[in-house]
Amino acid sequence: MRLFASLPSFFRDNYPSAERLGVPVARWRQSIYRTVFETNTPLGKTFERYLTLAILLSLCVVVVHSIPGTAEGWRGYLLRGLEWIFTLAFTAEYGLRLISVRKPWRYALSFYGIVDLLSIIPAYLAVFFPDAQFLAAIRALRLVRTFHIFPALHGFLSEYLMLARALQASARKIFVFLSVVAMIVLVMGTLIFVIEGPEHGFTSVPMGIYWAISTVTTVGYGDVTPATPMGRFFASVMMLLGWGIVAVPTGIVGAEISRNGTKARMKGVECDTCGENRHEDDARFCRRCGTRLQST
Amino acid sequence: MRLFASLPSFFRDNYPSAERLGVPVARWRQSIYRTVFETNTPLGKTFERYLTLAILLSLCVVVVHSIPGTAEGWRGYLLRGLEWIFTLAFTAEYGLRLISVRKPWRYALSFYGIVDLLSIIPAYLAVFFPDAQFLAAIRALRLVRTFHIFPALHGFLSEYLMLARALQASARKIFVFLSVVAMIVLVMGTLIFVIEGPEHGFTSVPMGIYWAISTVTTVGYGDVTPATPMGRFFASVMMLLGWGIVAVPTGIVGAEISRNGTKARMKGVECDTCGENRHEDDARFCRRCGTRLQST
Amino acid sequence: MRLFASLPSFFRDNYPSAERLGVPVARWRQSIYRTVFETNTPLGKTFERYLTLAILLSLCVVVVHSIPGTAEGWRGYLLRGLEWIFTLAFTAEYGLRLISVRKPWRYALSFYGIVDLLSIIPAYLAVFFPDAQFLAAIRALRLVRTFHIFPALHGFLSEYLMLARALQASARKIFVFLSVVAMIVLVMGTLIFVIEGPEHGFTSVPMGIYWAISTVTTVGYGDVTPATPMGRFFASVMMLLGWGIVAVPTGIVGAEISRNGTKARMKGVECDTCGENRHEDDARFCRRCGTRLQST
Amino acid sequence: MRLFASLPSFFRDNYPSAERLGVPVARWRQSIYRTVFETNTPLGKTFERYLTLAILLSLCVVVVHSIPGTAEGWRGYLLRGLEWIFTLAFTAEYGLRLISVRKPWRYALSFYGIVDLLSIIPAYLAVFFPDAQFLAAIRALRLVRTFHIFPALHGFLSEYLMLARALQASARKIFVFLSVVAMIVLVMGTLIFVIEGPEHGFTSVPMGIYWAISTVTTVGYGDVTPATPMGRFFASVMMLLGWGIVAVPTGIVGAEISRNGTKARMKGVECDTCGENRHEDDARFCRRCGTRLQST
């Protein structure tokens, strides 16, 4: 819920504000600040555009690197070279951010400060522990940096905010719904484990729950499936059940979105006397103070 | 339908009311009653919180116990120990509930009384019949106890009631819809059995029905799939059909939810002068003629 | 479309009306007619109830008979015996229907007359051609008889009609939508056949289309799946596409259902002067003749 | 977005207009033009009908040809013969189109001109490079020609336009939604690759992304599935997540469709006396104050 609540503001500003970070006095630090932190100056916009590009390219390198065969021969050298170039560039960016503010710790301890740091550390660690598999997991964090891209899409901001608000407004209903689903899945997972048993692939209750979720969400991998007549009857009931309740979140979010649309149409005109501006489109008098509204 | 009809009241109160159970005269029994049955006294709230925690933990133990390998060695001892502790705790709780009311049979024969009893019996039975597989099935009943948690989430009550009411209102439509789906699935299951036959995995009509349900609900396990060209053509028709009719329950529930939401927002008062009655809840003047609205 | 158009009337009356069949003059034939054709006489209701039960039971026998192992030993004798009893009963019913009307051919050539005949023929044919597999296909027709049950559910008639009307109203939109889907599936099925080829299971274009349908409808059997990187990329695009367009039929039917709901609320009061009765609930004057409406 | 924006006009006219192509002066060329380009003359209609039939039949031939076994013996000769007949017919059609206009290049370089050319080239190329597999890919382009059929379905035009407009109106929201899904899928695909690794089928990050898409869209092929407990837990979270967000596009399109429907029904006129403007299209008196409405 917290997550949902912070979504709209999250899409608007990512880094701590200028007031919190403290814009420095020195000219050269100010101009760096303007470039790396602000997104409404010409230089800042250019910087953000190239940064977004660099992040996307570095992601491509990480993705391509994971394909077996690409890490060998000249392609391996190329990929590792590119990875190092990106790592150094991001390190420089991190350094510039630290230098250009008066309170570097504020930045370093902010969410994006930590993300910026974590996205460059794995490459350095990989020098000392070359086959540490777990490092790749940290690399995935670099993906969070792509959230940078969102504020760049200024044109789509209203759509982002609208979707975020619809999700936020229905967060409580969805939470309630998910808790009911959790209960169903728990009961069903236990029952199928009892009915089918380990000899048909249902090795434990968690396995049964995994199967129940894959059935109720209509994903249906088919890696574990009931093999007894009773298990199949039971699965059939569950599929129909899942099919029925899949309608619920759709209904919740759909209703929220169409309500939002209605609200948007309801903005109407502003009252000259009291300033109330949430009037329906066909209202002729202010619903707050009774003054006749000026049509637009 | 009965089930749906009783949903809202079900989420409000689980145990029989104080009037039905009969609050005892003795002080010590009264104070036990206050603790184990009432949820608006400080002690009752604390008790409920710990009970909910105990139920969740005991569920975890049951779930973990089912994983192969965990029942051996020291972990097996730990798990069995924990299970006994929880069983004894729940037995004590059951005893306290029986003692603290004047009409213990009323409690014992109520839905939750039976659930409370059934959730402790399997552990005792397991002593005498150690490898009775079917006992685990009864253990799953313990899950019903987690419904206790629902009333504890007082904040979400309105969302529960709203969802329950939406489902209740569309229960008849969904029943009608399911009966049509049942017909389709029956016809389709028989036809695929005739088309594909036992040599491609469709060993019987029930198997065909199981396949038809898994196809129409878009689950698609893939454990039995058509292998002849005609069977595949037939399956394609069914997938498209299922895709089309999946829209129906979504539409039903969605329409119900958005109707509920609109009703709640728009109850408003009627204007004495022009009769307009679609005012928002916080409007003070008529949006049509500017007359002051009489609050209700 | 024809099918959809005839749905509401289909659910109301199945057999040709008394005027078309010609009620006979003889007393005993009239009383048979009252029993087997009319559903609002006490005897007719009882007959219909037992007929529905008999149809459902005979279906169970057919379904159970298809399970391997049940056709052997005493159970086989029992099942075949029951099947013969039902066949004879349905033959008698067919005879009674033929006898009790003045124009038997009208009945025999009506849709339900043909269904009634086809549902008893296979059993007799099976005597002469004992292992004719194709006969089972005709047996499935017996299922159509269960449509009898629908009018029996008088209480749910309004829901049936409402769903049927919603589907009928959106039939054109759904047809248009399906033709677009057909095009997508055709193009995609051909492309995946070219990309993956027979060595990965895509043996022909129809096979590719079958895969495309199973992907676009999110069924995803997994019996044929892409194995090349390009095929997988292609499949990913299709899954997202299918996911996006699954919203369309849901939106169409959902909008239709919620519109129907609105219409229902719009029935309002009847105008005393001109008889117009489709007023919105909050209308105070007739929208047809301007007379003040009497509130209910 | 461009694609969506051009959809409504796309369904209306496919070939460049008469003004752009230049209708020739010569009688015989004019009459050819009337036949092959115009669709509202009797001859033009007949031509279009046969062309549509020919395209559909030639598609059938291509589809049937791909089935293994059909390309051998007399059936192979028949199919190849039919393919050549269709190719020659389409070549003749292409020639007629080129001849009948004053500016043949305008036609040749228009979208449909290129499609017409590309749909006949593969057959000729196949003579010189008989086993070129990639040619079949170009053949699939012939399918685009079936778009011809759309304008022929004049009766359904309003439904096409309505669906196209609904998609166009929600294109921005769907784009935003897809970008969020892309992010989720990227993060999830990387994480599952790290968790499960190549030994369980997740050979690379793209493979992980492929799996993530198949899970989030509830397709669930099951060709790669998690095999470790943690991977399964992770997959369960993703299925529920995908299930939740599948509601979003449904909600967007659904809200758009029902808004479109409402708008169409409720445009109405404004009452001169009270200003009420939500009248149904066929209302003649104001539903609020009974004044006669001025028709528009």
Side-chain angles (χ1 to χ4, degrees):
Chain A
M1 235 82 75
R2 273 287 134 79
L3 181 74
F4 282 117
S6 64
L7 266 177
S9 70
F10 175 76
F11 284 123
R12 236 171 323 207
D13 44 68
N14 321 351
Y15 285 106
S17 64
E19 287 80 42
R20 296 212 62 213
L21 292 175
V23 184
V25 189
R27 264 282 165 84
W28 64 275
R29 280 173 72 194
Q30 268 195 19
S31 69
I32 293 177
Y33 180 88
R34 293 254 143 76
T35 311
V36 297
F37 277 108
E38 292 192 0
T39 55
N40 42 10
T41 58
L43 254 173
K45 267 181 192 159
T46 314
F47 178 77
E48 189 166 34
R49 211 163 293 148
Y50 280 102
L51 181 64
T52 304
L53 196 74
I55 293 167
L56 285 179
L57 281 177
S58 75
L59 279 175
C60 289
V61 169
V62 171
V63 166
V64 169
H65 206 170
S66 76
I67 302 170
T70 55
E72 285 144 32
W74 62 271
R75 280 184 295 192
Y77 285 113
L78 179 69
L79 285 170
R80 252 165 289 154
L82 281 169
E83 245 179 273
W84 272 110
I85 289 168
F86 284 121
T87 303
L88 292 175
F90 291 142
T91 312
E93 183 221 340
Y94 186 68
L96 285 176
R97 284 191 197 275
L98 277 180
I99 289 168
S100 70
V101 288
R102 250 197 295 177
K103 298 168 185 162
W105 281 110
R106 279 262 160 93
Y107 160 66
L109 295 173
S110 73
F111 176 68
Y112 270 85
I114 292 164
V115 166
D116 285 356
L117 183 64
L118 282 174
S119 71
I120 48 177
I121 283 184
Y124 293 109
L125 279 179
V127 179
F128 304 103
F129 316 97
D131 9 75
Q133 251 282 316
F134 70 94
L135 284 173
I138 309 175
R139 257 180 217 163
L141 261 168
R142 211 174 276 181
L143 286 159
V144 186
R145 297 200 58 160
T146 52
F147 286 123
H148 275 283
I149 303 164
F150 283 109
L153 302 162
H154 286 301
F156 293 101
L157 197 65
S158 68
E159 268 83 14
Y160 273 107
L161 292 178
M162 185 275 197
L163 277 187
R165 241 183 264 123
L167 282 178
Q168 191 184 328
S170 37
R172 278 167 69 101
K173 285 200 199 85
I174 284 176
F175 172 79
V176 162
F177 171 69
L178 277 184
S179 72
V180 174
V181 169
M183 196 95 48
I184 292 171
V185 155
L186 218 65
V187 176
M188 294 301 196
T190 312
L191 283 177
I192 198 80
F193 167 67
V194 172
I195 293 170
E196 291 281 325
E199 61 272 25
H200 297 127
F202 294 86
T203 47
S204 64
V205 169
M207 192 76 178
I209 292 169
Y210 165 72
W211 171 85
I213 291 176
S214 106
T215 299
V216 125
T217 55
T218 76
V219 169
Y221 281 136
D223 49 351
V224 268
T225 46
T228 60
M230 206 187 147
R232 274 179 190 140
F233 171 76
F234 188 69
S236 301
V237 171
M238 262 200 85
M239 289 187 238
L240 288 172
L241 194 75
W243 201 31
I245 55 178
V246 82
V248 177
T250 308
I252 293 170
V253 177
E256 205 53 59
I257 285 173
S258 72
R259 194 177 306 173
N260 266 5
T262 315
K263 258 190 213 154
R265 266 179 303 161
M266 215 180 268
K267 255 185 266 170
V269 286
E270 202 179 273
C271 172
D272 290 340
T273 309
C274 72
E276 171 69 43
N277 62 357
R278 272 174 26 97
H279 298 292
E280 286 189 66
D281 277 357
D282 58 349
R284 296 198 311 155
F285 289 89
C286 175
R287 67 192 182 90
R288 182 73 48 210
C289 68
T291 312
R292 197 181 182 94
L293 297 169
Q294 308 298 340
S295 62
T296 340
Chain B
M1 235 82 76
R2 273 287 136 80
L3 179 74
F4 282 116
S6 64
L7 266 177
S9 70
F10 174 74
F11 283 123
R12 237 170 324 207
D13 43 68
N14 322 350
Y15 285 106
S17 63
E19 287 81 43
R20 297 211 63 215
L21 291 176
V23 184
V25 189
R27 264 283 163 87
W28 63 274
R29 280 172 72 193
Q30 269 194 20
S31 69
I32 293 177
Y33 180 87
R34 293 253 143 78
T35 311
V36 296
F37 277 108
E38 292 192 359
T39 54
N40 42 10
T41 57
L43 254 173
K45 265 180 195 161
T46 315
F47 178 78
E48 189 165 34
R49 210 162 294 148
Y50 279 103
L51 181 64
T52 304
L53 196 73
I55 293 168
L56 285 179
L57 282 177
S58 76
L59 280 175
C60 289
V61 168
V62 172
V63 165
V64 169
H65 205 172
S66 77
I67 302 170
T70 55
E72 285 145 32
W74 63 270
R75 280 184 296 191
Y77 284 113
L78 179 70
L79 284 170
R80 253 165 287 154
L82 281 170
E83 246 180 270
W84 273 110
I85 289 168
F86 283 122
T87 303
L88 292 175
F90 291 142
T91 311
E93 184 220 340
Y94 187 68
L96 285 176
R97 283 191 197 274
L98 277 179
I99 289 168
S100 70
V101 289
R102 249 196 297 177
K103 298 169 186 162
W105 281 110
R106 280 261 159 92
Y107 160 66
L109 295 173
S110 73
F111 176 68
Y112 270 87
I114 293 164
V115 166
D116 284 355
L117 182 63
L118 283 174
S119 72
I120 48 177
I121 284 184
Y124 293 109
L125 280 180
V127 179
F128 305 103
F129 316 96
D131 9 76
Q133 251 283 318
F134 71 93
L135 286 173
I138 309 176
R139 256 178 217 164
L141 262 168
R142 210 173 278 180
L143 286 159
V144 186
R145 296 199 59 159
T146 51
F147 287 123
H148 275 284
I149 303 165
F150 283 111
L153 302 162
H154 287 301
F156 294 101
L157 198 64
S158 67
E159 268 84 15
Y160 275 108
L161 292 178
M162 185 274 196
L163 277 187
R165 239 183 266 124
L167 282 178
Q168 191 184 329
S170 38
R172 278 167 70 100
K173 284 200 199 85
I174 285 176
F175 172 80
V176 163
F177 170 70
L178 277 184
S179 73
V180 175
V181 169
M183 196 94 48
I184 292 171
V185 156
L186 217 65
V187 176
M188 293 301 196
T190 311
L191 282 177
I192 198 81
F193 167 68
V194 171
I195 294 169
E196 291 281 324
E199 62 272 25
H200 296 127
F202 294 86
T203 47
S204 63
V205 169
M207 191 76 178
I209 292 169
Y210 165 72
W211 170 85
I213 291 176
S214 106
T215 299
V216 125
T217 55
T218 76
V219 170
Y221 281 135
D223 50 351
V224 269
T225 47
T228 60
M230 206 187 146
R232 273 179 190 141
F233 172 75
F234 187 70
S236 300
V237 171
M238 262 201 87
M239 290 187 237
L240 288 172
L241 193 76
W243 201 30
I245 54 178
V246 82
V248 177
T250 308
I252 293 171
V253 177
E256 205 54 58
I257 286 173
S258 74
R259 193 177 307 172
N260 268 3
T262 314
K263 255 189 217 156
R265 241 183 345 129
M266 272 293 183
K267 258 182 266 169
V269 286
E270 202 180 275
C271 171
D272 290 341
T273 309
C274 73
E276 172 69 44
N277 62 355
R278 273 175 26 96
H279 298 292
E280 287 190 65
D281 277 357
D282 57 348
R284 296 197 309 156
F285 289 88
C286 175
R287 68 191 181 92
R288 183 69 51 208
C289 67
T291 313
R292 195 180 186 96
L293 296 169
Q294 308 299 341
S295 62
T296 341
Chain C
M1 236 83 77
R2 274 286 134 79
L3 179 75
F4 282 116
S6 63
L7 265 177
S9 71
F10 174 76
F11 283 124
R12 236 169 325 206
D13 44 68
N14 320 350
Y15 284 106
S17 63
E19 288 80 43
R20 296 212 64 214
L21 291 175
V23 183
V25 189
R27 265 282 166 85
W28 65 275
R29 281 172 72 194
Q30 267 194 20
S31 69
I32 294 177
Y33 180 87
R34 293 254 143 76
T35 310
V36 297
F37 276 108
E38 291 192 0
T39 55
N40 43 10
T41 58
L43 254 173
K45 265 181 195 160
T46 314
F47 178 77
E48 190 166 33
R49 212 162 292 146
Y50 280 102
L51 182 64
T52 304
L53 195 72
I55 293 168
L56 285 180
L57 281 177
S58 75
L59 279 175
C60 288
V61 169
V62 172
V63 165
V64 169
H65 205 171
S66 77
I67 302 171
T70 56
E72 286 144 33
W74 63 271
R75 279 183 296 193
Y77 284 113
L78 179 70
L79 284 170
R80 254 166 286 155
L82 281 171
E83 245 180 272
W84 272 111
I85 289 168
F86 283 121
T87 303
L88 292 175
F90 291 142
T91 312
E93 184 220 338
Y94 187 68
L96 285 176
R97 283 192 197 274
L98 277 180
I99 289 169
S100 69
V101 289
R102 249 196 298 177
K103 299 168 186 163
W105 281 110
R106 280 262 160 93
Y107 159 65
L109 296 171
S110 73
F111 175 69
Y112 270 87
I114 293 164
V115 166
D116 284 355
L117 182 63
L118 282 175
S119 72
I120 48 177
I121 283 184
Y124 293 109
L125 279 180
V127 180
F128 305 102
F129 316 97
D131 9 75
Q133 250 284 316
F134 70 93
L135 286 172
I138 309 175
R139 256 180 218 164
L141 262 167
R142 209 174 277 180
L143 285 160
V144 186
R145 296 199 59 160
T146 51
F147 286 123
H148 275 284
I149 303 165
F150 283 110
L153 302 163
H154 286 301
F156 294 101
L157 197 65
S158 68
E159 268 84 14
Y160 273 108
L161 293 177
M162 185 275 196
L163 276 187
R165 240 184 265 125
L167 282 178
Q168 191 184 328
S170 38
R172 278 167 70 100
K173 284 200 200 84
I174 284 176
F175 172 79
V176 163
F177 170 70
L178 277 184
S179 72
V180 174
V181 170
M183 195 94 48
I184 293 172
V185 155
L186 218 65
V187 176
M188 294 301 197
T190 312
L191 283 176
I192 199 80
F193 167 67
V194 171
I195 293 170
E196 290 282 324
E199 62 272 25
H200 297 127
F202 294 86
T203 48
S204 63
V205 168
M207 192 76 179
I209 292 168
Y210 165 72
W211 171 84
I213 291 175
S214 105
T215 299
V216 125
T217 55
T218 75
V219 170
Y221 282 135
D223 49 351
V224 269
T225 47
T228 61
M230 206 187 146
R232 274 179 190 140
F233 172 75
F234 189 69
S236 300
V237 171
M238 263 200 85
M239 289 186 236
L240 287 172
L241 194 74
W243 201 32
I245 55 178
V246 82
V248 177
T250 308
I252 293 171
V253 177
E256 206 54 59
I257 286 174
S258 73
R259 194 177 306 172
N260 267 4
T262 314
K263 258 190 211 151
R265 266 179 303 160
M266 216 178 268
K267 255 184 266 170
V269 286
E270 202 180 273
C271 172
D272 290 341
T273 310
C274 72
E276 171 69 43
N277 62 357
R278 271 174 27 95
H279 298 292
E280 286 190 65
D281 277 357
D282 58 348
R284 297 199 310 155
F285 289 89
C286 175
R287 69 194 182 89
R288 182 74 47 211
C289 68
T291 313
R292 195 180 183 96
L293 297 169
Q294 308 299 339
S295 62
T296 341
Chain D
M1 235 83 76
R2 273 287 135 81
L3 180 75
F4 283 117
S6 64
L7 266 177
S9 71
F10 174 77
F11 283 124
R12 237 171 322 208
D13 44 67
N14 321 350
Y15 284 106
S17 62
E19 288 81 43
R20 297 211 64 213
L21 292 175
V23 184
V25 189
R27 264 283 164 85
W28 64 275
R29 281 173 71 195
Q30 268 195 21
S31 69
I32 293 178
Y33 180 87
R34 294 254 141 77
T35 311
V36 297
F37 276 107
E38 292 191 0
T39 55
N40 42 10
T41 58
L43 254 174
K45 267 182 193 160
T46 314
F47 178 78
E48 188 166 34
R49 211 163 293 147
Y50 279 102
L51 181 64
T52 303
L53 196 72
I55 293 168
L56 285 180
L57 282 176
S58 75
L59 279 176
C60 289
V61 169
V62 172
V63 166
V64 169
H65 205 171
S66 77
I67 301 170
T70 55
E72 285 144 33
W74 64 270
R75 280 184 295 191
Y77 284 113
L78 179 70
L79 283 170
R80 253 165 289 155
L82 282 170
E83 244 178 274
W84 273 109
I85 289 168
F86 283 120
T87 303
L88 292 175
F90 291 140
T91 311
E93 183 220 341
Y94 187 68
L96 285 176
R97 283 192 197 273
L98 277 180
I99 290 167
S100 71
V101 290
R102 251 197 296 178
K103 297 168 187 164
W105 281 111
R106 280 262 160 91
Y107 160 66
L109 295 172
S110 73
F111 175 68
Y112 270 87
I114 293 164
V115 166
D116 285 355
L117 182 64
L118 283 174
S119 72
I120 47 178
I121 284 183
Y124 294 108
L125 280 180
V127 179
F128 305 102
F129 316 97
D131 8 78
Q133 252 282 316
F134 70 94
L135 286 173
I138 309 176
R139 256 179 216 163
L141 262 167
R142 210 174 277 180
L143 285 160
V144 185
R145 297 200 57 161
T146 51
F147 286 123
H148 276 283
I149 303 164
F150 284 109
L153 303 162
H154 286 300
F156 294 101
L157 196 65
S158 67
E159 267 84 14
Y160 273 108
L161 293 178
M162 185 275 198
L163 277 187
R165 240 183 266 124
L167 282 178
Q168 192 184 328
S170 38
R172 278 167 68 101
K173 284 200 199 84
I174 285 176
F175 172 79
V176 162
F177 171 69
L178 277 184
S179 72
V180 174
V181 169
M183 196 94 48
I184 292 172
V185 156
L186 218 66
V187 176
M188 294 301 197
T190 311
L191 282 177
I192 198 81
F193 167 67
V194 172
I195 293 171
E196 290 282 324
E199 62 272 24
H200 296 127
F202 295 86
T203 48
S204 63
V205 169
M207 191 76 179
I209 292 169
Y210 164 72
W211 171 85
I213 291 175
S214 105
T215 299
V216 124
T217 55
T218 76
V219 170
Y221 283 135
D223 49 350
V224 269
T225 47
T228 60
M230 207 187 145
R232 275 181 189 137
F233 172 75
F234 189 70
S236 301
V237 171
M238 263 200 86
M239 289 186 237
L240 288 172
L241 194 75
W243 201 31
I245 55 177
V246 83
V248 176
T250 309
I252 293 171
V253 177
E256 206 54 59
I257 286 173
S258 73
R259 194 177 307 173
N260 268 3
T262 314
K263 256 191 215 153
R265 239 180 350 126
M266 272 293 182
K267 258 183 266 171
V269 286
E270 201 180 275
C271 171
D272 289 340
T273 309
C274 71
E276 172 68 44
N277 62 356
R278 272 174 27 96
H279 298 292
E280 286 189 66
D281 278 356
D282 58 348
R284 296 197 309 156
F285 289 88
C286 175
R287 68 191 181 90
R288 182 70 52 206
C289 67
T291 312
R292 196 180 184 96
L293 297 170
Q294 309 297 340
S295 62
T296 342

